[in-house]
Amino acid sequence: MALSFCGSDNGSNSYSVNEGVLNNGCFVDALNLVPHVFLLFITFPILFIGWGSQSSKVQIHHNTWLHFPGHNMRWILTFSLLFVHVCEFAEGIVSNKGMQTNHLHLFIPAFMGFIAATTSVVYYHNIETSNFPKLLLVLFIYWVLAFITKSIKLWKFAEYSVGPQHLRFCITALLVLLYGLLMAVEINVIRVRKYVFFANPQKVKPPEDLQDLGVRFLQPFVNLLSKATYWWMNPLIIGAHKRPIELKKIGKLPIAMRALTNYLRLKDAYEDQRTAEDPNRPPSIWRSMYRAFGRPILLSSTLRYLADLLSFAGPLCISGIVKYLNKTGSDTYLGVYFMSTTELLQNTSVLAVLLFLALVLQRTFLQASYYVTIETGINLRGALLAMIYNKILRLSTSNMSMGEMTLGQINNLVAIETNQLMWFLFLCPNLWSMPVQIVMGVIMLYYFMGCSALVGASVIVLLAPVQYRIATKLADTQKSTLEHSTDRLKKTTEILKGIKLLKLYAWENIFCDSVEDTRGKELTSLKTFAFYTSMSIFMNAAIPIAAVLATFVVYHFINETGPTPSEAFAALALFHILVTPLFLLSTVVRFAVKAMVSVQKLSEFLQSDEIGDDSWRNGDTSVSMEAGKKHLGVTKAINRKQPMRYQMDNYEQPTRRQMRPTETEDVAVKVSNGFFTWGSNLSTLSDINICIPTGQLTMIVGQVGCGKSSLLLAMLGEMQTLGGSVYWSKLPDNETVHEGNISKNRYSVAYATQKSWLLNATVEENITFGSPFNKQRYKTVIDACSLQPDIDLLPFGDQTEIGERGINLSGGQRQRICVARALYQNTNIVFLDDPFSALDIHLSDHLMQEGILKFLQDDKRTVVLVTHKLQYLIHADWIIAMKDGSVLREGTLKDIQTHDIELYDHWKTLMNRQDHGLEKDVQQDSQTTLERKTLRRAFYSREAKNQIDDEDEEEEEEEEDDDNMSTTTNRRSKIPWRVCWCYMSSGGFFMAFLMVSSKLLKHSVIVAIDYWLAIWTSSKTSQSAGAGQDVSNGSSLDDSYYLPVFITLCAAGITLCLITSLTVEFLGLSAATNLHHNLLNKIIHAPIRFFDITPLGQILNRFSADTNIIDQHIPPTLESLTRSTLLCLSAIGVISSITPAFLIALVPLAVAFYFIQKYFRVASKDLQDLDDSTQLPLLCHFSETAEGLTTIRAFRHEARFKQRMLELTDTNNTAYLFLSAANRWLEVRTDYLGAVIVLTAAGAAIWSLRYGLHSGGLVGLGLTYALTVTNYLNWVVRNLADLEVQMAAVKKVNSFLGTESENYEGSMDASQVPENWPQNGEIKIQELCVRYDPMLKPVLKHVNMFIEPGQKVGICGRTGSGKSSLSLAFFNMVDIFEGKIVIDGIDICKLPLQTLRSRLSIILQDPVLFSGSIRFNLDPERTCTDDRLWEALEIAQLKNMVKALPGGLDAVVTEGGENFSVGQRQLFCLARAFVRKSSILIMDEATASIDMATENILQKVVMTAFADRTVVTIAHRVHTILTADLVIVMKRGNILEYDKPETLLEQEDGMFASFVRADM
């Protein structure tokens, strides 16, 4: 066994060169070694000396820049080269086995070639990243040398008539080709970069993205290997373990992926379809999508086809390995052995390596295909969002107000339709790759199993429509579930908003039941949902079993003999491959249908009316011009229906010139003969002729609904113009602008709408609204709007977030911020639409004086003010009076006084009445203080709560882990087992046990089926080998024994599949039922303090988002997780039991897997959070833009908002891209692990077979299982990560389940309380001490008082003196920790809460109504007669109004009682108190939100209707309690004065007297 290079066979003279040097085959092989050795000798020193001395001249922060052309080509060729070298090496070794002694020259050159090729690519990569092209010459020389030596070898082969039938000839020919191509690539680099042979080498700059340090998404820029394996993600994913991934870390998007770039691509494709011949035909969105994003989709589909074809290598290799396990013509030329191509493929070791390579390649292609579609989908989504947004900014307002386009529709477009299209794009390569995969699979099955395979395949195909049915059913059920859950949410929201009232009236259980009702309906549709989901899962698991069963039974009946192991296991593997596309196909088809609907909706939206696009305009183009001035880029929009662009300029000059002579300089806006409409042909405003004088204060007055706001909007160009024109004067310095600049004619207008509109931003940003910040000006504006006290209350001052997601401000506060915004803007014209409507009198006066008269007039700004407050008319320079959509009068107050005396008198009487109101108004503690009070309460309590929360969390952390350094890392990588346990137990122990046991059984049965198959097929081969003639008898005996068992096992497997899929879903359902039920009960019965300190949004989140996750997301994730985990475990178990040697290799694999999943879970969780948190601002931005359209357009801030939208979209897209790249990162790694598992399993099997350990059937079984592992490994990790995120929902719900309930029982039994208690209404309070929470100071300290039956008592005091706390103490709503309240001889603390609260009445200061009927609002328990209800309504002065409503008592009350005014709502609450005939009534500041007239009625009613009852009034305005029998003045929780009002008034220096004086 001497190791000589040329071998030393007997009789062959290896080293003789008699026939010429080149005719010695061994010498030719030696010659082939030369280039490889040359390359290694030159490059190794260069590689190891390092690049420190001559690093790149261009400083960039990524060493990922690809400088040289032909980069990807080179990588692909090098990889092919490596593969061919491996083949050459394998061929050499196998040939060598056929010789007598070792011929090293058969495989050493191949081995060296492999090393040299690897070195070449490493060397190239280093040169490329350091941009030093001169060193590439080395590679060029190597390719030339290698090409020459290989060509010599090929030529010699041809000479000795070695042809393509021999493998070595083919390999050599391939190598020649590859070296030639690589040489060409190298020449191309020289041609482009000119680094040698040329005088001036080309200078290159890195792409913009790489110069920008913010771009962290490197996928487009890294080299091919890193692209394929996502190697560049490593630092990010591993770093996430130490500190969470933040937005800073993921940086910006590369330019090519930004929303703007893609928007322009899509828009061009969209606009190009508008042809001159047919201008009205809507462009097709599909076609534009194809034009803009067709190429990447084609690339992805190509990759997908490659992956699908490679996936069939698995079954083929398995069948080969099993077939040739125990098998062992040769041609000899040039003194060595040549083998044919098929012979190599019959070598099991070669097949194992091929299988490994095929798997690695297939997975790489598949992941690349996924990545490309996902990137394209994200690009498409960015482009669509930008398109929708641009359209929103141009929507005509009438569309919004006529309800053709609701906010909901727009939100749906943004949140749902764009995502549907994105998902469709993700899945669309499946549409054309799956049919191909299925057809190929069936053909191969036919090749292995004959006709019987077609039976099995038809089972699969026939069940596909059933799956599609199930998929559509699922979509429908989901819809109905959604409807029920929105309904439930609405009810829950109402309960939580009115919780105080419900508790005071002891109605919480009634309302709780109604929510449970809706929840019941929701659960019914969830049950259907669960059923269909489990059916779908069952189909997926059972179809392969059924197919296998059908195939083998039919095979048995057609062919007398059973299949061989190689055929059987190839068929098994094929069935597993086939199931996936069929299962997915139904999903893909469903998504395709959804995408069609989405495109339809989008297309309708993009076709809808735009502003300035007047469909009712007939030929009066001057109007169009005037309306058109509104919109900057309006030329295109207006003339969409008339393609002649130029007509605008023609009409331009005449309209302008006519105005010149008549126009005086001091008119800012002039409307002549204006007829305007909101979209029907009826004009809302008719015959408008007005001028707005420059630099003066113009007021517009008139009754409600006479078109004042519409007039402002018409001037802003928001209404459709039927006739006439609006003219905006130019600025004096603008006099000389050209015609083209006409759109500048209308400059930005500061506009404050009637319905205040805030951005989700800080207070300061809302006021400056994109203008530069000027401290002095800002301060002045804040003072003018008296916002300072409100800002001081906010937790972070003017840096507090307000708006939908921020702090809820009251109406007045919001309105003042809007006015402040209009004042702060530096515009010449200010439009204020009724800025005083939500303000009380002091604030209005202050705003009028400081803000409008001083601040705006000093700046000589033109102000247009719409108002109802006529007392301000004296300040106006110009007045426009309106009536029923036309102008009644226009002029100064003097003009009107002289010319229209009637109108003037009318105003005068109104003014008197308002002044009257004014006097009374001054007496009240104004609305503003009230608003501030509620704000203050909300904040302080919330902060206290937050502190408590933080403390809790810290304690938890310390308990869990004392070693604080490691807490962060550990907490982030731990799986929340405790929460999982809690989830399982809320699903019920029986269900959980059933699930686990049935899962285990199912998987063991599936293993048993395959194992039985292995024994059955192996017995066949051994028999036929042994028995020879006697086959038929033996086989029939055997089959009659094997077949029934096989059928039974399959049947059992299918049944178990059904059971498991049902148990998982229904376990999830019962968990969801219990969790929601407990949550609702806990929260509704929580003490009132809980609601003060927990923000409403947080509680609602538990009921919406978290409940939704628990209902719909956890069960499928749990199912998928258990299934994939058990599949992987059973596979590893099977392989280890067949080839124990596999266990040794398993240890390093397990370690690798552990680290991959550990890092991935943490990073994935962070990226998911980022994706969620960036999505919300984006959706909010869309909805707030749609709400504030008129304001944005008046201010002309469209561009700024577009910019913001693009930024938000890009941020969200970045997070999403990183998330999907991280998923690819994981999948590539787990797939490679899987491939290694297959390789080791095959290797172990072949190795142990050499020693004859077991039959071929079992090897087939092991390999089939190893193949399934590759599919399921990444699912294990992905599902783990998802489950972890979803379990957070359970954790949050659980944290609320720990809240204490109120003590409902009391120490007395309800039956011991007399029926009619309290009959007299006598109240004794002794040494009463009250606090809100054991951690807080007491709010009432040792209060004593005695109230006789029927007395009217008034309690007054400053804000925060404990008046309201006292009223809550009567109902035992607060913690009474000392003293007692005795009513009619019973201590209220001993009573059950239900009894106590149902026997007393209270009227709260904020009126609360629930949606439903009037009857339901007055008497939800349905105990009273109609007469009693009418009587109560009559007392409350509401009878006539309710009679007039359709349905009377059953008339509808909308959510929050919005269809009644605040005063009416308060009266309803009063009626509610009358319906409950109790002898004690408590009024808590009940008259604060009522006008004077109604309040007087109330006073009378209380005196007459409640003459014989005890009434305790907590007063805001002291004059309401001057007639009381007893007045109590409180201060800081103590009683200060206690006497009759007359006596108290006599004490000059008393508190009460000073209150009354202040009120007068």
Side-chain angles (χ1 to χ4, degrees), residues 1407-1424:
V1408 180
L1409 293 185
F1410 300 99
S1411 56
S1413 62
I1414 293 180
R1415 180 194 307 274
F1416 177 73
N1417 269 293
L1418 294 179
D1419 172 36
E1421 294 156 308
R1422 295 286 164 91
T1423 49
C1424 305

Side-chain angles (χ1 to χ4, degrees), residues 909-1075:
T909 49
L910 281 174
M911 267 197 254
N912 280 342
R913 203 177 305 159
Q914 280 188 347
D915 284 345
H916 218 65
L918 209 122
E919 284 162 20
K920 292 201 173 158
D921 239 6
V922 179
Q923 300 167 345
Q924 39 175 299
D925 212 359
S926 71
Q927 192 177 349
T928 319
T929 31
L930 245 178
E931 286 172 354
R932 286 180 186 153
K933 198 164 111 193
T934 44
L935 197 64
R936 190 179 314 126
R937 268 188 200 162
F939 278 119
Y940 290 130
S941 51
R942 192 171 303 179
E943 277 163 24
K945 161 76 175 167
N946 287 350
Q947 288 161 0
I948 298 169
D949 263 8
D950 295 345
E951 284 160 19
D952 283 356
E953 276 176 27
E954 282 160 28
E955 280 166 24
E956 269 178 38
E957 274 182 34
E958 280 156 23
E959 283 165 26
E960 280 184 16
D961 209 333
D962 297 330
D963 176 10
N964 246 346
M965 269 309 289
S966 59
T967 48
T968 47
T969 47
N970 274 6
R971 276 194 73 145
R972 303 193 43 168
S973 56
K974 263 187 197 161
I975 298 172
W977 294 118
R978 268 168 48 197
V979 184
C980 292
W981 169 241
C982 146
Y983 178 77
M984 289 297 211
S985 55
S986 57
F989 291 109
F990 173 68
M991 287 300 271
F993 169 72
L994 192 65
M995 177 190 106
V996 175
S997 51
S998 64
K999 278 269 177 199
L1000 291 172
L1001 254 178
K1002 173 184 119 176
H1003 282 279
S1004 32
V1005 168
I1006 290 179
V1007 171
I1009 294 174
D1010 296 344
Y1011 185 72
W1012 193 254
L1013 197 60
I1015 298 176
W1016 181 13
T1017 50
S1018 310
S1019 72
K1020 281 291 162 48
T1021 43
S1022 52
Q1023 272 175 18
S1024 48
Q1029 278 72 38
D1030 237 12
V1031 179
S1032 49
N1033 314 347
S1035 74
S1036 59
L1037 170 135
D1038 281 332
D1039 281 350
S1040 59
Y1041 160 62
Y1042 283 119
L1043 194 64
V1045 177
F1046 183 63
I1047 295 175
T1048 327
L1049 279 175
C1050 284
I1054 291 175
T1055 336
L1056 279 167
C1057 281
L1058 182 60
I1059 293 173
T1060 50
S1061 60
L1062 283 171
T1063 49
V1064 175
E1065 282 296 327
F1066 283 93
L1067 168 80
L1069 201 68
S1070 68
T1073 314
N1074 294 335
L1075 280 172

Side-chain angles (χ1 to χ4, degrees), residues 447-511:
Y447 162 73
F448 281 125
M449 306 281 298
C451 298
S452 57
L454 298 178
V455 177
S458 63
V459 169
I460 295 186
V461 175
L462 284 176
L463 287 177
V466 180
Q467 271 189 310
Y468 179 71
R469 274 295 305 198
I470 290 178
T472 46
K473 278 273 190 250
L474 270 176
D476 296 347
T477 356
Q478 207 155 10
K479 262 201 194 118
S480 67
T481 314
L482 189 71
E483 282 164 19
H484 290 312
S485 65
T486 41
D487 199 17
R488 167 177 63 83
L489 254 181
K490 214 172 92 184
K491 285 188 175 172
T492 316
T493 318
E494 281 208 323
I495 289 186
L496 293 175
K497 279 186 179 158
I499 187 77
K500 189 169 173 185
L501 182 99
L502 294 184
K503 286 188 166 300
L504 289 170
Y505 273 81
W507 281 345
E508 56 269 72
N509 293 342
I510 303 172
F511 281 79

Side-chain angles (χ1 to χ4, degrees), residues 315-328 345-348 351 447-448 564-567 569 1021 1249 1256-1257 1259-1260 1263:
L316 286 172
C317 290
I318 288 182
S319 82
I321 291 176
V322 176
K323 201 178 204 163
Y324 303 121
L325 268 176
N326 1 24
K327 295 226 173 120
T328 57
L345 289 177
Q346 289 181 358
N347 182 308
T348 45
L351 279 175
Y447 162 73
F448 281 125
T564 61
S566 66
E567 292 167 351
F569 285 102
T1021 43
L1249 253 179
V1259 174
L1263 286 181

Side-chain angles (χ1 to χ4, degrees), residues 20 25 71 104 112 192 199 279 284 291 354 444 478 504 782 863 1072 1269:
H71 168 90
L104 293 186
M112 290 305 287
V192 176
S284 140
R291 277 191 198 165
L354 270 179
M444 287 184 68
Q478 207 155 10
L504 289 170
I782 292 266
V863 186
V1269 171

